[in-house]
Amino acid sequence: MVVQVNFVSDTGNKICGLLLRKQIIPKLTMGTQQRTFLLFVGVVIVTLAYYLWPHSMLNELTSLHASGSLSHISLVGIKKTYELNETVIVNIVLFDHWKRPKTCGGDMLVVWMKDPQHGAASAGSVIDNGNGTYTGVLRTLWTGSAIIRAAMISSRERIDHMYISFQNGYFGKEIECIFRSNTSTEITSGHMEAKYMKIRPFCNLTADYFGIPFYCGRPKTKGIGCKDWKETSLPHSYMTFDADTRWFSAWRSTEYLSDYATIHISSTRNEKDPAVSPKIPCGRRNFRDTWLATPPVGFSYNNTWRPLSCRNSVPVDAYNQCLANKTVKLLGDSTVRQIFGALYSMLGFTITKGPPEGKRTKKRNFYEGPTICEANHPKYNYTVYLLPHGFPLWFAKANRTITKPVFARLDDIPSGSNDIILINLYAHFHFTPIHIYRARVHRTRIAIENLLKRSPDVTIIIKGPHKFSVRKSVSPLGGMWGPAYENILKKEFVNLYDQVMYLDVWDMTVAFENEDTHPHDLLVTMMVKVFLGYICWK
């Protein structure tokens, strides 16, 4: 702190001298008051620069993290023409906001290639060389041309900052516990970790919330006790920043490299299909393949997603027959509500509970809407439910029935069921320490094991993380959690690979440069076609 004050004072004196040399103020005998005034002006200028220009020379510490716009990507070697299904290697060099090359690794990057003219796109993999450089590995999966790009979805400093914030007690949900008796209501604050409860004494509601750690301030109103917990609200709680950490909110979570590489892809074989085309139908593949696939797990051509391990041979008009006499349960958040909406658009079932139709457009908005949706198809006798995954999902005055966690809903499914169940646990957990996500996945896996024992005919799909960005980072929300969450899922479900499908959508959302928390309709439709392509007539 002393060094900073001396630096600012010295800068003020330099600005004072500059003003005199440039004769911005009249020449006059410098008295104490004039010198003090000019020093004050210098301090104000320096302070404004410090706060308004996060990567300025006055804030050295905030400029150490990598800059996407200042970093570079280039092809390895001089080759620019490749054959179909060949490997392409690129070199990525990161620079910080002072335009200095980074000398250590730990940043999180993605790489992809695309040909917009043919609706073609695929993601690659990135190897961290540990010295500020990264190696991107891609495959040529269609003929024609391709643009290769890269982006940094999180710097190592951003990851460190989020980890430290959680360690210091930051929690991204402002939990409000609503207690109600016959005559009175009281709202107290809550938390999912006892050590961070600021209100003492508090109610331990873990047993009341299906064994998930949950605590609320004890009501002070006479006649209201812990047993009177009725509802909960979980609005977002955004991060605050001091002078040394405001860089976190100054840049969006994903930074695209400004340059790119281009290649041409030719084919020496007489093939009818100008893209790689697997022969085995996806319905004949083992679910294990969906867990063990490595990038690229698939690619798009003509805006149609093609898994690399199999051919999606199930036509859309056969989906209704595939779902006949079943119950479909979609358990998750608003991105799963999008899947509910995509199914509605494809299959034309009747919605009995869901987003209302617009007065003018007569269309339903599946990006926003009720937490629970329900539909049925009278002709094919199937029902579709959308159900929330429980805390820490955003809720507003929700009762305990609505906030029931996924594993508790699975425990309610009776023996002999043939339900189709898709589960997504992702974005809302970004607001909590990662051990809360790991514990929830663990409880969910145990519930799935028990369900498969009593109902071996159920079909279960685990939807993986998708890549997305946030325009202003005022919370830990962002796609940088995707790889970490995927690792947790794959480790937890390792003994269920043959019985549970993994819907890997990471490559898909990387390849199409998805920026939104809610992927656009084209991507959601691709996701639906992939998982139905695997499970129909298996």
Side-chain angles (χ1 to χ4, degrees):
M1 183 63 69
V2 174
V3 174
Q4 186 180 19
V5 170
N6 289 341
F7 175 73
V8 172
S9 300
D10 181 62
T11 303
N13 286 326
K14 289 181 179 179
I15 292 175
C16 173
L18 176 65
L19 292 174
L20 287 174
R21 286 197 300 274
K22 296 296 183 180
Q23 296 183 346
I24 296 175
I25 61 173
K27 293 182 179 179
L28 49 82
T29 304
M30 292 293 291
T32 303
Q33 290 183 344
Q34 288 86 358
R35 185 173 292 277
T36 300
F37 172 74
L38 290 176
L39 179 60
F40 171 76
V41 171
V43 171
V44 169
I45 293 173
V46 170
T47 303
L48 287 174
Y50 186 79
Y51 279 96
L52 298 179
W53 192 7
H55 55 282
S56 69
M57 67 177 184
L58 305 177
N59 199 354
E60 165 72 9
L61 292 177
T62 69
S63 302
L64 297 178
H65 65 292
S67 165
S69 60
L70 297 176
S71 301
H72 299 289
I73 181 174
S74 60
L75 288 168
V76 173
I78 60 174
K79 184 176 180 179
K80 289 191 175 182
T81 299
Y82 294 80
E83 292 184 7
L84 191 65
N85 211 11
E86 195 172 353
T87 299
V88 182
I89 307 294
V90 295
N91 184 46
I92 302 168
V93 181
L94 295 188
F95 290 80
D96 66 17
H97 287 268
W98 273 77
K99 300 182 181 181
R100 299 170 300 195
K102 297 284 289 184
T103 58
C104 58
D107 304 281
M108 193 176 294
L109 284 86
V110 291
V111 64
W112 67 97
M113 64 169 60
K114 62 180 182 178
D115 177 7
Q117 183 178 354
H118 293 97
S122 68
S125 58
V126 177
I127 301 169
D128 186 343
N129 299 319
N131 58 2
T133 69
Y134 298 78
T135 301
V137 182
L138 306 103
R139 283 173 62 186
T140 54
L141 300 172
W142 63 85
T143 57
S145 61
I147 300 170
I148 301 175
R149 296 206 62 188
M152 181 179 65
I153 59 176
S154 181
S155 66
R156 60 176 292 158
E157 290 80 9
R158 181 181 294 276
I159 297 171
D160 288 344
H161 177 70
M162 288 188 292
Y163 177 78
I164 293 171
S165 296
F166 282 130
Q167 290 293 102
N168 291 337
Y170 168 74
F171 196 80
K173 300 287 183 176
E174 195 71 40
I175 299 177
E176 299 174 352
C177 309
I178 303 169
F179 295 84
R180 185 178 294 112
S181 67
N182 292 332
T183 58
S184 303
T185 299
E186 183 174 338
I187 300 176
T188 68
S189 61
H191 209 286
M192 296 184 73
E193 294 195 82
K195 64 181 178 179
Y196 295 125
M197 280 297 298
K198 297 179 181 179
I199 299 177
R200 302 297 173 109
F202 57 81
C203 301
N204 184 349
L205 301 175
T206 300
D208 296 272
Y209 192 57
F210 308 95
I212 294 176
F214 191 70
Y215 310 91
C216 295
R218 185 184 296 275
K220 297 179 180 179
T221 303
K222 187 177 180 180
I224 299 182
C226 295
K227 61 179 174 49
D228 296 309
W229 172 48
K230 304 297 183 183
E231 297 175 332
T232 312
S233 294
L234 279 83
H236 299 319
S237 174
Y238 296 109
M239 304 177 81
T240 57
F241 305 95
D242 56 27
D244 292 328
T245 59
R246 71 184 180 281
W247 58 268
F248 184 91
S249 62
W251 287 277
R252 63 187 305 145
S253 59
T254 297
E255 293 191 48
Y256 287 82
L257 274 65
S258 56
D259 56 0
Y260 54 88
T262 57
I263 60 171
H264 180 75
I265 307 165
S266 62
S267 177
T268 58
R269 295 170 291 182
N270 296 322
E271 294 187 352
K272 296 180 180 179
D273 196 336
V276 172
S277 182
K279 305 301 181 184
I280 301 176
C282 292
R284 290 172 53 188
R285 302 293 298 193
N286 192 296
F287 282 162
R288 175 173 290 271
D289 297 336
T290 64
W291 293 93
L292 299 178
T294 57
V297 301
F299 69 102
S300 171
Y301 193 77
N302 288 333
N303 287 324
T304 300
W305 191 257
R306 302 184 179 190
L308 270 183
S309 63
C310 58
R311 175 172 53 88
N312 196 338
S313 58
V314 182
V316 174
D317 57 9
Y319 291 162
N320 275 322
Q321 186 178 349
C322 170
L323 303 178
N325 303 312
K326 295 181 182 291
T327 296
V328 180
K329 293 182 178 178
L330 308 174
L331 308 178
D333 56 18
S334 54
T335 60
V336 177
R337 186 171 60 232
Q338 289 182 269
I339 291 178
F340 181 93
L343 288 171
Y344 168 72
S345 299
M346 291 179 189
L347 307 180
F349 47 59
T350 302
I351 293 180
T352 55
K353 181 185 293 184
E357 291 184 345
K359 293 182 179 179
R360 294 183 178 179
T361 64
K362 300 300 180 181
K363 294 182 179 180
R364 300 177 188 266
N365 181 8
F366 290 98
Y367 290 85
E368 297 179 0
T371 306
I372 294 178
C373 298
E374 183 178 340
N376 62 74
H377 201 302
K379 180 179 178 180
Y380 292 94
N381 190 37
Y382 67 81
T383 304
V384 184
Y385 293 97
L386 167 70
L387 300 167
H389 63 54
F391 299 159
L393 190 73
W394 184 95
F395 288 107
K397 295 183 179 180
N399 62 44
R400 280 187 274 175
T401 301
I402 295 177
T403 60
K404 183 182 292 188
V406 166
F407 64 81
R409 297 189 185 278
L410 296 176
D411 290 341
D412 291 339
I413 298 175
S415 300
S417 170
N418 64 348
D419 291 358
I420 297 172
I421 304 163
L422 183 142
I423 300 169
N424 176 231
L425 304 173
Y426 187 42
H428 287 265
F429 286 89
H430 294 185
F431 295 88
T432 70
I434 198 166
H435 69 265
I436 291 179
Y437 179 78
R438 185 180 289 110
R440 191 67 56 83
V441 170
H442 177 71
R443 291 288 299 274
T444 303
R445 190 265 301 165
I446 292 174
I448 289 174
E449 283 186 334
N450 293 332
L451 175 59
L452 288 169
K453 289 177 182 178
R454 66 179 183 273
S455 299
D457 291 332
V458 298
T459 302
I460 299 174
I461 305 100
I462 302 295
K463 178 178 174 289
H466 64 280
K467 180 261 177 187
F468 69 98
S469 180
V470 289
R471 289 178 175 82
K472 190 171 180 62
S473 299
V474 292
S475 75
L477 187 68
M480 76 288 294
W481 293 103
Y485 282 21
E486 182 179 74
N487 287 338
I488 291 172
L489 288 169
K490 290 188 173 181
K491 288 181 180 179
E492 189 65 46
F493 282 87
V494 66
N495 293 323
L496 293 176
Y497 281 6
D498 291 320
Q499 297 171 276
V500 176
M501 177 189 168
Y502 183 63
L503 179 58
D504 191 335
V505 300
W506 181 261
D507 278 14
M508 186 186 298
T509 50
V510 168
F512 276 87
E513 303 176 13
N514 180 65
E515 287 291 289
D516 295 328
T517 309
H518 301 99
H520 56 77
D521 292 344
L522 174 64
L523 290 174
V524 178
T525 299
M526 288 180 177
M527 296 175 194
V528 170
K529 289 182 177 180
V530 169
F531 89 78
L532 289 179
Y534 269 95
I535 69 173
C536 288
W537 294 291
K538 190 166 184 62

